[in-house]
Amino acid sequence: MKRIVTIQDISCVGKCSLTVALPIISAMGVETAIIPTAVLSTHTAFDDFTFRDLTDEIVPIAQHWNQEGIGFDAIYTGYLGSFEQLEIVSDFFDEFKTSENFIFVDPAMGDNGELYKGFTPEFAKEMGKLCGKADIIVPNMTEAAYMLGFDRVEEEYDEGYVKDILYQLSLLGAKMVVLTSVSYDESSIGVVAYDSVRKEYFSYFDERIDVKYHGTGDVFASACVGALMNDFSLADSLKIAANYVVECIKDTQTDSKRNWYGVNFETVIPYLIRTIEKNKTVLPPTRARYFFFSEELHVSEQE
Ligand code: PXL
Protein backbone atom coordinates (compact mmCIF):
# COMPACT_ATOMS: atom_id res chain seq x y z
CA MET A 1 0.00 0.00 0.00
CA LYS A 2 1.24 3.48 -0.78
CA ARG A 3 1.78 5.91 2.03
CA ILE A 4 1.66 9.69 2.00
CA VAL A 5 2.20 12.25 4.72
CA THR A 6 0.07 15.34 4.93
CA ILE A 7 1.15 18.34 6.99
CA GLN A 8 -1.53 20.84 7.97
CA ASP A 9 -3.66 21.93 10.92
CA ILE A 10 -6.50 20.05 12.50
CA SER A 11 -9.60 22.23 12.81
CA CYS A 12 -11.74 20.12 15.13
CA VAL A 13 -14.98 21.35 13.57
CA GLY A 14 -15.01 22.88 10.11
CA LYS A 15 -14.48 20.16 7.49
CA CYS A 16 -11.15 21.37 6.19
CA SER A 17 -7.45 20.51 6.31
CA LEU A 18 -6.78 17.21 8.14
CA THR A 19 -10.42 16.31 8.84
CA VAL A 20 -10.88 16.30 5.05
CA ALA A 21 -7.51 14.94 3.88
CA LEU A 22 -7.48 11.93 6.21
CA PRO A 23 -10.86 10.45 5.30
CA ILE A 24 -10.65 11.19 1.57
CA ILE A 25 -7.13 9.90 0.96
CA SER A 26 -7.63 6.87 3.25
CA ALA A 27 -10.86 5.99 1.46
CA MET A 28 -8.91 6.06 -1.80
CA GLY A 29 -6.81 3.19 -0.48
CA VAL A 30 -3.73 5.13 0.56
CA GLU A 31 -2.13 5.08 4.00
CA THR A 32 -2.33 8.64 5.28
CA ALA A 33 0.25 9.69 7.85
CA ILE A 34 -0.20 13.15 9.31
CA ILE A 35 1.66 15.91 11.04
CA PRO A 36 -0.87 18.21 12.72
CA THR A 37 0.70 21.67 12.79
CA ALA A 38 -1.88 23.19 15.14
CA VAL A 39 -5.16 22.29 16.82
CA LEU A 40 -8.03 24.76 16.43
CA SER A 41 -11.55 24.43 17.82
CA THR A 42 -12.85 25.38 14.34
CA HIS A 43 -11.40 26.85 11.17
CA THR A 44 -10.75 30.57 11.12
CA ALA A 45 -13.97 31.62 9.40
CA PHE A 46 -15.67 31.13 12.78
CA ASP A 47 -15.32 33.81 15.46
CA ASP A 48 -13.36 33.18 18.66
CA PHE A 49 -11.70 29.89 17.70
CA THR A 50 -9.10 28.38 20.01
CA PHE A 51 -5.60 27.76 18.65
CA ARG A 52 -2.81 25.56 19.99
CA ASP A 53 0.39 25.70 18.01
CA LEU A 54 2.20 22.37 17.50
CA THR A 55 5.26 23.63 15.65
CA ASP A 56 7.58 22.24 18.33
CA GLU A 57 6.37 18.71 17.60
CA ILE A 58 7.25 18.68 13.89
CA VAL A 59 11.01 18.16 14.11
CA PRO A 60 10.87 15.42 16.81
CA ILE A 61 8.22 13.57 14.79
CA ALA A 62 10.38 13.78 11.67
CA GLN A 63 13.46 12.62 13.61
CA HIS A 64 11.60 9.60 14.93
CA TRP A 65 10.43 8.70 11.44
CA ASN A 66 14.00 8.98 10.20
CA GLN A 67 15.16 6.60 12.94
CA GLU A 68 12.44 4.15 11.96
CA GLY A 69 13.29 4.45 8.27
CA ILE A 70 9.77 5.58 7.43
CA GLY A 71 9.38 7.16 3.98
CA PHE A 72 6.52 8.44 1.86
CA ASP A 73 5.24 8.16 -1.70
CA ALA A 74 4.07 11.77 -1.53
CA ILE A 75 4.36 14.74 0.81
CA TYR A 76 1.27 16.94 0.78
CA THR A 77 1.11 20.23 2.65
CA GLY A 78 -1.89 22.50 3.18
CA TYR A 79 -2.62 25.34 5.59
CA LEU A 80 0.55 26.35 7.44
CA GLY A 81 0.33 29.05 10.08
CA SER A 82 3.71 30.73 10.61
CA PHE A 83 7.04 31.65 9.03
CA GLU A 84 8.71 29.14 11.34
CA GLN A 85 6.45 26.36 10.08
CA LEU A 86 7.33 27.23 6.48
CA GLU A 87 11.02 26.89 7.34
CA ILE A 88 10.57 23.60 9.19
CA VAL A 89 8.42 22.15 6.40
CA SER A 90 11.01 23.23 3.86
CA ASP A 91 13.65 21.25 5.84
CA PHE A 92 11.22 18.33 6.02
CA PHE A 93 11.07 18.35 2.19
CA ASP A 94 14.89 18.19 2.04
CA GLU A 95 14.93 15.20 4.36
CA PHE A 96 12.04 13.18 2.95
CA LYS A 97 12.10 13.96 -0.79
CA THR A 98 13.44 11.07 -2.86
CA SER A 99 13.72 10.45 -6.60
CA GLU A 100 10.59 8.29 -6.35
CA ASN A 101 8.16 10.52 -4.46
CA PHE A 102 6.67 13.94 -5.13
CA ILE A 103 5.91 17.08 -3.16
CA PHE A 104 2.42 18.55 -3.48
CA VAL A 105 1.86 22.00 -1.98
CA ASP A 106 -1.57 23.56 -1.57
CA PRO A 107 -0.69 27.07 -0.39
CA ALA A 108 -3.99 27.41 1.50
CA MET A 109 -4.03 31.06 2.55
CA GLY A 110 -7.06 32.77 1.11
CA ASP A 111 -9.91 32.93 -1.38
CA ASN A 112 -12.25 35.36 -3.10
CA GLY A 113 -9.65 38.10 -3.25
CA GLU A 114 -8.71 38.01 0.43
CA LEU A 115 -6.24 36.27 2.69
CA TYR A 116 -7.67 34.29 5.62
CA LYS A 117 -7.40 35.80 9.11
CA GLY A 118 -3.83 36.09 10.34
CA PHE A 119 -2.04 35.94 6.96
CA THR A 120 -0.06 38.82 5.46
CA PRO A 121 1.32 39.57 1.97
CA GLU A 122 4.83 38.90 3.37
CA PHE A 123 3.76 35.44 4.50
CA ALA A 124 2.31 34.74 1.06
CA LYS A 125 5.67 35.55 -0.53
CA GLU A 126 7.41 33.09 1.81
CA MET A 127 4.81 30.49 0.92
CA GLY A 128 5.78 31.17 -2.68
CA LYS A 129 9.32 30.07 -1.83
CA LEU A 130 8.00 26.82 -0.34
CA CYS A 131 6.03 26.30 -3.56
CA GLY A 132 9.32 26.57 -5.40
CA LYS A 133 10.40 23.27 -3.85
CA ALA A 134 7.25 21.44 -4.95
CA ASP A 135 6.58 19.15 -7.88
CA ILE A 136 2.93 20.22 -7.98
CA ILE A 137 1.25 23.34 -6.57
CA VAL A 138 -2.48 24.13 -6.58
CA PRO A 139 -3.12 27.77 -5.60
CA ASN A 140 -6.35 29.59 -6.40
CA MET A 141 -6.24 33.02 -8.04
CA THR A 142 -6.09 34.86 -4.68
CA GLU A 143 -3.19 32.78 -3.40
CA ALA A 144 -1.36 33.06 -6.72
CA ALA A 145 -1.72 36.86 -6.83
CA TYR A 146 -0.44 37.25 -3.28
CA MET A 147 2.46 34.85 -3.79
CA LEU A 148 3.49 36.83 -6.86
CA GLY A 149 3.26 40.10 -4.90
CA PHE A 150 0.51 41.67 -7.07
CA ASP A 151 -1.20 44.67 -5.54
CA ARG A 152 -4.66 43.42 -6.52
CA VAL A 153 -6.50 40.19 -7.25
CA GLU A 154 -8.33 40.42 -10.58
CA GLU A 155 -11.94 39.29 -10.60
CA GLU A 156 -12.21 39.31 -14.36
CA TYR A 157 -9.47 38.03 -16.59
CA ASP A 158 -8.90 36.11 -19.79
CA GLU A 159 -6.93 33.07 -20.87
CA GLY A 160 -3.82 35.12 -21.63
CA TYR A 161 -3.79 36.51 -18.11
CA VAL A 162 -4.17 33.04 -16.58
CA LYS A 163 -1.36 31.63 -18.73
CA ASP A 164 0.87 34.49 -17.71
CA ILE A 165 0.15 33.87 -14.00
CA LEU A 166 0.92 30.18 -14.47
CA TYR A 167 4.18 31.01 -16.17
CA GLN A 168 5.16 33.43 -13.42
CA LEU A 169 4.30 30.83 -10.77
CA SER A 170 6.47 28.30 -12.55
CA LEU A 171 9.39 30.72 -12.18
CA LEU A 172 9.07 30.21 -8.41
CA GLY A 173 10.39 26.72 -9.17
CA ALA A 174 7.50 24.23 -9.09
CA LYS A 175 7.38 21.75 -11.97
CA MET A 176 3.60 21.52 -12.37
CA VAL A 177 1.58 24.60 -11.62
CA VAL A 178 -2.18 24.36 -11.31
CA LEU A 179 -4.49 27.35 -10.91
CA THR A 180 -7.81 26.35 -9.36
CA SER A 181 -11.25 28.00 -9.46
CA VAL A 182 -10.55 29.65 -12.80
CA SER A 183 -13.67 31.10 -14.37
CA TYR A 184 -13.96 33.13 -17.58
CA ASP A 185 -17.76 33.29 -17.55
CA GLU A 186 -20.77 32.56 -15.36
CA SER A 187 -21.41 29.06 -16.63
CA SER A 188 -18.09 27.27 -16.10
CA ILE A 189 -15.29 26.95 -13.58
CA GLY A 190 -12.21 24.80 -13.65
CA VAL A 191 -8.49 24.35 -13.44
CA VAL A 192 -5.72 25.46 -15.77
CA ALA A 193 -2.35 23.81 -15.40
CA TYR A 194 1.12 24.38 -16.79
CA ASP A 195 3.77 21.72 -17.12
CA SER A 196 6.95 23.79 -16.90
CA VAL A 197 9.10 20.86 -18.02
CA ARG A 198 7.22 20.19 -21.27
CA LYS A 199 5.99 23.79 -21.57
CA GLU A 200 2.42 22.59 -22.09
CA TYR A 201 -0.86 23.90 -20.77
CA PHE A 202 -3.85 21.82 -19.78
CA SER A 203 -7.31 22.89 -18.70
CA TYR A 204 -10.48 21.26 -17.52
CA PHE A 205 -13.75 23.09 -16.98
CA ASP A 206 -16.89 21.98 -15.22
CA GLU A 207 -20.29 23.54 -14.66
CA ARG A 208 -20.15 26.51 -12.32
CA ILE A 209 -22.62 26.44 -9.46
CA ASP A 210 -23.07 29.89 -8.09
CA VAL A 211 -22.43 29.22 -4.41
CA LYS A 212 -19.26 29.38 -2.35
CA TYR A 213 -18.52 26.88 0.37
CA HIS A 214 -15.57 26.73 2.70
CA GLY A 215 -13.09 23.87 2.43
CA THR A 216 -13.60 23.02 -1.24
CA GLY A 217 -9.92 23.73 -1.93
CA ASP A 218 -8.91 21.15 0.66
CA VAL A 219 -11.39 18.62 -0.73
CA PHE A 220 -9.99 19.24 -4.23
CA ALA A 221 -6.34 18.93 -3.19
CA SER A 222 -6.96 15.77 -1.15
CA ALA A 223 -8.86 14.01 -3.94
CA CYS A 224 -6.13 15.03 -6.39
CA VAL A 225 -3.37 13.56 -4.20
CA GLY A 226 -5.46 10.39 -3.74
CA ALA A 227 -5.93 10.03 -7.50
CA LEU A 228 -2.22 10.58 -8.17
CA MET A 229 -1.46 7.86 -5.62
CA ASN A 230 -3.80 5.59 -7.57
CA ASP A 231 -1.47 6.15 -10.55
CA PHE A 232 -3.62 8.53 -12.50
CA SER A 233 -1.83 11.23 -14.46
CA LEU A 234 -1.96 14.74 -13.07
CA ALA A 235 -4.44 15.79 -15.76
CA ASP A 236 -6.77 12.91 -14.97
CA SER A 237 -6.34 13.48 -11.25
CA LEU A 238 -7.32 17.14 -11.64
CA LYS A 239 -10.40 16.11 -13.57
CA ILE A 240 -11.37 13.47 -10.99
CA ALA A 241 -10.90 15.98 -8.15
CA ALA A 242 -12.82 18.76 -9.93
CA ASN A 243 -15.77 16.46 -10.63
CA TYR A 244 -15.75 15.30 -7.03
CA VAL A 245 -15.91 18.89 -5.75
CA VAL A 246 -18.84 19.67 -8.05
CA GLU A 247 -20.72 16.61 -6.74
CA CYS A 248 -19.91 17.62 -3.14
CA ILE A 249 -21.35 21.09 -3.76
CA LYS A 250 -24.48 19.67 -5.38
CA ASP A 251 -25.02 17.28 -2.49
CA THR A 252 -24.57 20.10 0.02
CA GLN A 253 -27.05 22.30 -1.79
CA THR A 254 -29.77 19.69 -1.70
CA ASP A 255 -29.24 19.02 2.01
CA SER A 256 -31.71 21.07 4.05
CA LYS A 257 -29.60 20.33 7.15
CA ARG A 258 -26.30 21.43 5.60
CA ASN A 259 -23.71 23.31 7.63
CA TRP A 260 -22.49 26.70 6.42
CA TYR A 261 -18.87 25.88 7.20
CA GLY A 262 -18.07 23.04 4.81
CA VAL A 263 -19.29 20.73 2.03
CA ASN A 264 -20.85 17.27 2.30
CA PHE A 265 -17.73 15.52 1.03
CA GLU A 266 -18.56 12.44 3.13
CA THR A 267 -21.73 11.34 1.32
CA VAL A 268 -19.99 11.70 -2.05
CA ILE A 269 -16.98 9.50 -1.18
CA PRO A 270 -18.68 6.44 -2.77
CA TYR A 271 -18.95 8.42 -6.05
CA LEU A 272 -15.23 9.22 -5.88
CA ILE A 273 -14.30 5.60 -5.25
CA ARG A 274 -16.55 4.39 -8.08
CA THR A 275 -14.81 6.80 -10.44
CA ILE A 276 -11.40 5.53 -9.37
CA GLU A 277 -12.38 1.86 -9.62
CA LYS A 278 -14.08 2.24 -12.98
CA ASN A 279 -11.13 3.95 -14.58
CA LYS A 280 -8.52 1.63 -13.12
CA THR A 281 -9.84 -1.10 -15.35
CA VAL A 282 -10.39 1.17 -18.36
CA LEU A 283 -7.05 2.92 -18.48
CA PRO A 284 -3.84 1.14 -19.43
CA PRO A 285 -2.00 -0.34 -16.41
CA THR A 286 0.95 1.99 -16.77
CA ARG A 287 -0.29 5.52 -16.71
CA ALA A 288 2.06 8.36 -17.42
CA ARG A 289 3.06 9.99 -14.17
CA TYR A 290 2.23 13.57 -14.89
CA PHE A 291 0.64 14.99 -17.93
CA PHE A 292 -0.95 12.30 -20.00
CA PHE A 293 -4.63 13.11 -20.34
CA SER A 294 -6.79 10.19 -21.32
CA GLU A 295 -9.90 10.95 -23.30
CA GLU A 296 -11.41 7.70 -22.04
CA LEU A 297 -11.68 8.81 -18.44
CA HIS A 298 -15.15 7.78 -17.35
CA VAL A 299 -16.99 9.86 -14.84
CA SER A 300 -19.45 8.13 -12.53
CA GLU A 301 -23.02 9.32 -12.29
CA GLN A 302 -23.96 10.36 -8.79
CA GLU A 303 -26.75 8.04 -7.62
O1 PXL B 1 -9.59 25.41 4.19
C1 PXL B 1 -8.42 26.03 4.50
C2 PXL B 1 -8.23 26.23 5.98
C3 PXL B 1 -7.47 25.32 6.68
N1 PXL B 1 -7.21 25.48 7.98
C4 PXL B 1 -7.71 26.52 8.67
C5 PXL B 1 -8.50 27.47 8.03
C6 PXL B 1 -8.76 27.33 6.63
C7 PXL B 1 -9.58 28.30 5.95
O2 PXL B 1 -10.12 29.22 6.49
O3 PXL B 1 -9.00 28.50 8.71
C8 PXL B 1 -7.41 26.67 10.13
Side-chain angles (χ1 to χ4, degrees):
M1 180 180 281
K2 288 194 181 157
R3 174 170 56 219
I4 69 124
V5 58
T6 178
I7 309 177
Q8 41 188 327
D9 72 280
I10 185 151
S11 293
C12 299
V13 167
K15 303 212 221 193
C16 67
S17 40
L18 284 184
T19 62
V20 160
L22 249 178
I24 292 176
I25 301 171
S26 299
M28 294 172 91
V30 180
E31 182 183 342
T32 308
I34 60 167
I35 299 187
T37 53
V39 185
L40 294 82
S41 52
T42 62
H43 60 53
T44 60
F46 285 79
D47 294 325
D48 301 328
F49 49 88
T50 70
F51 181 93
R52 166 81 63 178
D53 184 72
L54 296 176
T55 307
D56 289 349
E57 292 298 315
I58 304 175
V59 171
I61 290 171
Q63 279 171 347
H64 182 214
W65 287 347
N66 256 333
Q67 269 169 32
E68 295 285 337
I70 295 171
F72 303 99
D73 296 296
I75 304 166
Y76 156 35
T77 68
Y79 182 103
L80 298 171
S82 66
F83 287 92
E84 190 186 0
Q85 279 183 4
L86 292 179
E87 216 175 298
I88 291 174
V89 167
S90 174
D91 292 344
F92 184 94
F93 288 171
D94 295 340
E95 269 177 62
F96 287 87
K97 172 83 183 108
T98 66
S99 55
E100 300 296 308
N101 66 11
F102 65 84
I103 296 172
F104 185 105
V105 173
D106 176 10
M109 286 181 298
D111 208 355
N112 307 315
E114 285 179 25
L115 293 175
Y116 300 137
K117 280 175 202 150
F119 289 120
T120 60
E122 293 69 38
F123 182 85
K125 285 204 183 148
E126 281 305 303
M127 180 64 97
K129 289 189 195 155
L130 190 72
C131 283
K133 284 191 158 184
D135 296 287
I136 303 168
I137 61 172
V138 291
N140 57 34
M141 189 61 92
T142 304
E143 291 152 351
Y146 274 97
M147 288 197 295
L148 294 172
F150 294 176
D151 50 17
R152 53 173 292 155
V153 183
E154 298 297 342
E155 277 179 34
E156 287 187 17
Y157 42 78
D158 59 13
E159 202 183 320
Y161 182 80
V162 165
K163 284 189 167 174
D164 184 51
I165 293 233
L166 285 166
Y167 177 69
Q168 289 195 49
L169 286 169
S170 76
L171 298 180
L172 294 173
K175 290 195 196 75
M176 306 285 164
V177 183
V178 181
L179 204 52
T180 64
S181 306
V182 175
S183 186
Y184 301 125
D185 56 51
E186 278 164 22
S187 62
S188 63
I189 187 162
V191 295
V192 185
Y194 178 59
D195 176 339
S196 70
V197 179
R198 292 202 214 164
K199 314 233 178 304
E200 276 173 25
Y201 289 91
F202 160 78
S203 64
Y204 176 69
F205 283 85
D206 227 318
E207 69 182 290
R208 175 168 159 175
I209 306 165
D210 208 14
V211 283
K212 296 215 185 292
Y213 287 112
H214 223 80
T216 48
D218 300 356
V219 171
F220 175 83
S222 301
C224 187
V225 169
L228 287 165
M229 284 290 95
N230 275 276
D231 293 330
F232 289 96
S233 68
L234 177 60
D236 284 341
S237 299
L238 293 173
K239 190 172 172 184
I240 288 167
N243 286 329
Y244 176 50
V245 170
V246 169
E247 294 305 325
C248 290
I249 292 173
K250 284 185 184 165
D251 193 278
T252 310
Q253 269 191 309
T254 57
D255 179 3
S256 60
K257 296 205 172 80
R258 67 179 166 267
N259 300 305
W260 65 268
Y261 53 74
V263 284
N264 289 6
F265 74 89
E266 302 90 337
T267 36
V268 194
I269 284 179
Y271 163 89
L272 177 63
I273 305 309
R274 278 199 304 277
T275 305
I276 295 283
E277 290 305 322
K278 214 165 163 181
N279 287 290
K280 267 190 169 170
T281 53
V282 170
L283 299 174
T286 310
R287 287 170 281 254
R289 181 59 174 270
Y290 283 132
F291 242 88
F292 169 67
F293 177 61
S294 58
E295 291 298 332
E296 315 96 281
L297 188 76
H298 289 232
V299 177
S300 298
E301 292 299 317
Q302 173 71 310
E303 278 159 7

